[in-house]
Amino acid sequence: MRKTVKLSILLLVAAVMYFGYSAWIDSVALFSINGFLEGSTEWKAAVDTFSNLPGTFEPNYWSELQKALDLYNSTAATDKQLILSGIMSSSSLMYKILSPFKLLLFGGVIGLFVPLAKQLFASTLIGMKQYISARQTNVLFNYQKTIDYAKDLHSKLLANDFEGTKGLYASYSGLAFKPRFLTNMLEEIALKLINFQDVDVFSTGSEKVVAALEEMYEKERRRSLNGRGEEMFFDFKRGYEYCANGSKYIIAYYSNLKTNDKTKIEWKLFSLEITKFNISLIVAFIPAILLSSAIAGILGQVLPAGYALYIGLTFLWVVFAIILHALLVFKNKENRTNIKKLIKPALTFYSLYFVMFITIGFGAVSLMAVGDIRSPGTAGLIWVWFSALAYLVLSACLIWYVISTLVDAFRSPDGLTKALIIDGIILPLVAWLLVTGTNIAMMVLNNMYPISATTNPDWVAKVRSILSYANLGILIVFWIYLFISNFLIANIVSKKSAMQLLESGIQADKKFKEKQSKSKA
């Protein structure tokens, strides 16, 4: 899940660069008078205001235009001043050269959006379609071949046969029927193989994989005999089980996988169940919209109407999603029997999702506080607006990253290590607290001194800029660290740590060879 979060962040960065550059090149960078772009009706009206004054002339060059404006402003009242801004004309060579770079940035956005959409949505739909189209061939031939392969693999894992497991891993590509839960197990086995570690940790999980394959085959065989499936939405369920990471067979595999003794089974179980939370969000969205106006009326007594609507919508949305997900999870008989043990992980994950959506609500309020960006002369608010947008997405992704860290850790045989706790939980939460504090300060400031007001004290603009830069700076520094931390940890090695790694590697290799010699004997 953390890879999905990072891909989402890269998409946001590309999108901000595209929209920010487009806004700059097509508005802020172009010559304008009091925010009205060159060539507009308002521009022409402003030029007509000073073009007939004594000592001025119809401007043909930008330097001459500035001189004419300076002469006009020297005699005009303060509220009638005309300010020329921008660095180039829309008909200049500079603009013609810089403008096409928008297309390159747009290509980057599309290049990141397509794999993210495929990873989140399309891959499951494509996999379901492929499963249904190849059903007959799978039932006739491929199911049995895959079942035999999985049984052979299970026996090798049970015996901790490293070489035998490696040989089966090499032959996996030759199978025609490769469900996601089997592929997922092979991917994790490959990590153990490449590190020359014991593979018997997967023996209990592989037993569930064999049972899952046999169950799917039996259901499909009975469907062929009866002419129809014995369950509602039979095709949808079998296709989902075949290709989805959240299928019940994936959950069964991880639930029975040997893990670090410090990792309690209830945390692992609920971290697997929480992967279905997205489905609850989709279902809960419609009732949240229908009832958001009611709670907005209550919040409207203490908050502005627009603020109350956004906060009320996000509040109802996440609450309804939590209730729906909890009902689905505890409908399972096995989960109901362990309800006392599951309460702690359930409250942890649900609290994190609640905080994430409330963060989104406050982020939407911050965007609203910037004002109507369609109005003339608002191009100068570009960084204030992007700072609010960055808080909305990047700060919410901080909480999403914490959730993803917990899910990835509890499904891993290594469990939740100290490095993961620091890098994936503590640091993101500290960054979230800092940016949330600056954002709340910004909201209070904007409520006391609206951005659109013209009578604000001079210090308000300075404080607003400081808070905006602090907000952006904290988020950017953290996410840059997050992207490069693993690389630095893996590649920066001191002499002392190099000797320790060498000694531990020699010891691990010695133990591995001893185990291999015993297994052969």
Side-chain angles (χ1 to χ4, degrees):
M1 283 184 69
R2 285 179 294 168
K3 291 182 180 179
T4 303
V5 178
K6 291 181 179 180
L7 188 58
S8 302
I9 296 301
L10 288 175
L11 176 60
L12 172 70
V13 171
V16 168
M17 289 177 64
Y18 167 70
F19 288 111
Y21 183 78
S22 298
W24 179 79
I25 195 70
D26 290 329
S27 59
V28 179
L30 296 180
F31 286 119
S32 63
I33 295 178
N34 285 14
F36 300 111
L37 292 177
E38 169 205 0
S40 65
T41 303
E42 293 83 357
W43 167 281
K44 294 176 181 178
V47 171
D48 290 341
T49 302
F50 64 80
S51 59
N52 295 322
L53 285 175
T56 65
F57 42 82
E58 189 67 21
N60 295 315
Y61 302 98
W62 299 111
S63 58
E64 296 173 348
L65 174 61
Q66 185 64 64
K67 292 177 183 178
L69 279 171
D70 291 341
L71 181 58
Y72 169 78
N73 289 332
S74 65
T75 58
T78 303
D79 59 342
K80 300 294 184 180
Q81 297 281 312
L82 297 175
I83 307 300
L84 176 67
S85 58
I87 60 173
M88 59 184 166
S89 169
S90 59
S91 59
S92 66
L93 177 60
M94 181 185 292
Y95 178 79
K96 301 301 181 185
I97 292 174
L98 296 179
S99 183
F101 281 96
K102 292 186 296 183
L103 298 177
L104 293 177
L105 294 174
F106 181 71
V109 173
I110 298 300
L112 290 169
F113 176 77
V114 171
L116 179 62
K118 184 178 180 181
Q119 183 175 336
L120 293 176
F121 308 108
S123 59
T124 300
L125 297 176
I126 293 172
M128 292 170 65
K129 182 180 179 181
Q130 291 174 346
Y131 174 82
I132 294 171
S133 62
R135 167 181 279 141
Q136 292 183 348
T137 306
N138 289 335
V139 174
L140 286 172
F141 308 106
N142 299 328
Y143 257 112
Q144 196 58 53
K145 292 180 180 179
T146 302
I147 290 173
D148 293 339
Y149 173 89
K151 287 181 177 178
D152 192 13
L153 178 62
H154 173 63
S155 64
K156 296 289 191 297
L157 294 172
L158 199 60
N160 197 24
D161 185 351
F162 185 89
E163 294 298 330
T165 302
K166 187 165 67 172
L168 284 175
Y169 174 78
S171 64
Y172 182 62
S173 59
L175 292 178
F177 181 73
K178 294 182 283 189
R180 179 59 198 163
F181 54 85
L182 178 58
T183 301
N184 182 75
M185 182 177 70
L186 265 295
E187 290 173 350
E188 296 191 343
I189 288 174
L191 295 177
K192 292 292 183 181
L193 293 174
I194 199 67
N195 291 314
F196 295 94
Q197 295 176 344
D198 293 337
V199 293
D200 58 343
V201 67
F202 298 102
S203 58
T204 53
S206 63
E207 184 178 359
K208 288 296 180 181
V209 169
V210 172
L213 287 167
E214 291 177 336
E215 181 179 316
M216 287 184 68
Y217 174 64
E218 186 61 26
K219 289 180 179 180
E220 286 290 2
R221 193 180 67 82
R222 289 199 300 267
R223 178 192 175 279
S224 300
L225 294 173
N226 299 332
R228 57 175 297 178
E230 58 191 27
E231 304 175 56
M232 293 180 64
F233 307 108
F234 184 89
D235 292 346
F236 176 82
K237 288 181 178 180
R238 298 294 82 75
Y240 185 80
E241 290 167 355
Y242 171 76
C243 65
N245 284 319
S247 72
K248 65 178 183 180
Y249 296 135
I250 290 272
I251 294 176
Y253 162 74
Y254 280 115
S255 299
N256 288 272
L257 195 64
K258 293 180 182 178
T259 60
N260 191 315
D261 293 335
K262 296 179 181 179
T263 302
K264 296 183 178 179
I265 188 64
E266 57 265 24
W267 282 93
K268 177 187 286 188
L269 285 173
F270 205 85
S271 67
L272 297 171
E273 293 287 358
I274 203 68
T275 57
K276 300 178 182 178
F277 193 77
N278 292 339
I279 299 175
S280 301
L281 284 174
I282 295 172
V283 177
F285 185 66
I286 295 177
I289 290 179
L290 296 176
L291 296 176
S292 60
S293 58
I295 194 171
I298 299 174
L299 294 174
Q301 298 178 8
V302 293
L303 294 172
Y307 294 8
L309 180 61
Y310 280 105
I311 294 176
L313 175 60
T314 53
F315 174 80
L316 287 177
W317 191 10
V318 69
V319 168
F320 287 163
I322 289 172
I323 293 172
L324 180 60
H325 184 267
L327 292 175
L328 292 173
V329 170
F330 294 108
K331 185 179 70 172
N332 186 300
K333 184 178 180 181
E334 183 179 348
N335 290 337
R336 285 202 306 271
T337 58
N338 296 315
I339 188 169
K340 290 184 179 180
K341 294 182 178 180
L342 291 173
I343 286 296
K344 188 175 180 179
L347 289 176
T348 300
F349 279 105
Y350 290 152
S351 298
L352 287 171
Y353 269 111
F354 183 82
V355 170
M356 186 177 80
F357 274 80
I358 293 302
T359 301
I360 293 173
F362 279 112
V365 168
S366 298
L367 280 176
M368 289 183 59
V370 177
D372 187 1
I373 59 176
R374 299 170 298 175
S375 302
T378 56
L381 299 176
I382 180 173
W383 296 117
V384 176
W385 189 84
F386 275 119
S387 174
L389 178 64
Y391 171 79
L392 191 157
V393 180
L394 294 179
S395 59
C397 283
L398 289 173
I399 306 299
W400 188 20
Y401 192 80
V402 173
I403 296 171
S404 301
T405 299
L406 292 174
V407 172
D408 290 345
F410 289 124
R411 71 166 54 174
S412 168
D414 296 328
L416 191 61
T417 62
K418 292 182 179 179
L420 273 179
I421 292 174
I422 296 173
D423 197 60
I425 297 177
I426 295 177
L427 290 180
L429 290 178
V430 170
W432 179 83
L433 288 172
L434 290 174
V435 296
T436 299
T438 58
N439 191 64
I440 291 175
M442 179 79 78
M443 289 173 58
V444 173
L445 183 67
N446 291 337
N447 189 49
M448 296 174 61
Y449 302 98
I451 295 177
S452 58
T454 58
T455 58
N456 291 334
D458 295 338
W459 63 267
V460 173
K462 295 180 180 179
V463 172
R464 185 178 287 125
S465 297
I466 292 172
L467 291 175
S468 297
Y469 288 133
N471 200 335
L472 275 174
I474 294 170
L475 290 169
I476 291 172
V477 168
F478 172 77
W479 283 109
I480 290 176
Y481 160 78
L482 197 63
F483 274 93
I484 67 174
S485 60
N486 291 335
F487 172 80
L488 293 177
I489 291 172
N491 289 277
I492 297 178
V493 182
S494 64
K495 290 183 179 180
K496 182 179 180 180
S497 60
M499 293 299 297
Q500 292 175 346
L501 288 171
L502 180 61
E503 291 177 3
S504 62
I506 293 172
Q507 293 297 324
D509 185 57
K510 184 178 179 181
K511 290 180 181 179
F512 173 77
K513 289 179 179 179
E514 289 176 354
K515 288 182 179 180
Q516 289 298 104
S517 60
K518 288 180 181 179
S519 63
K520 289 179 180 179

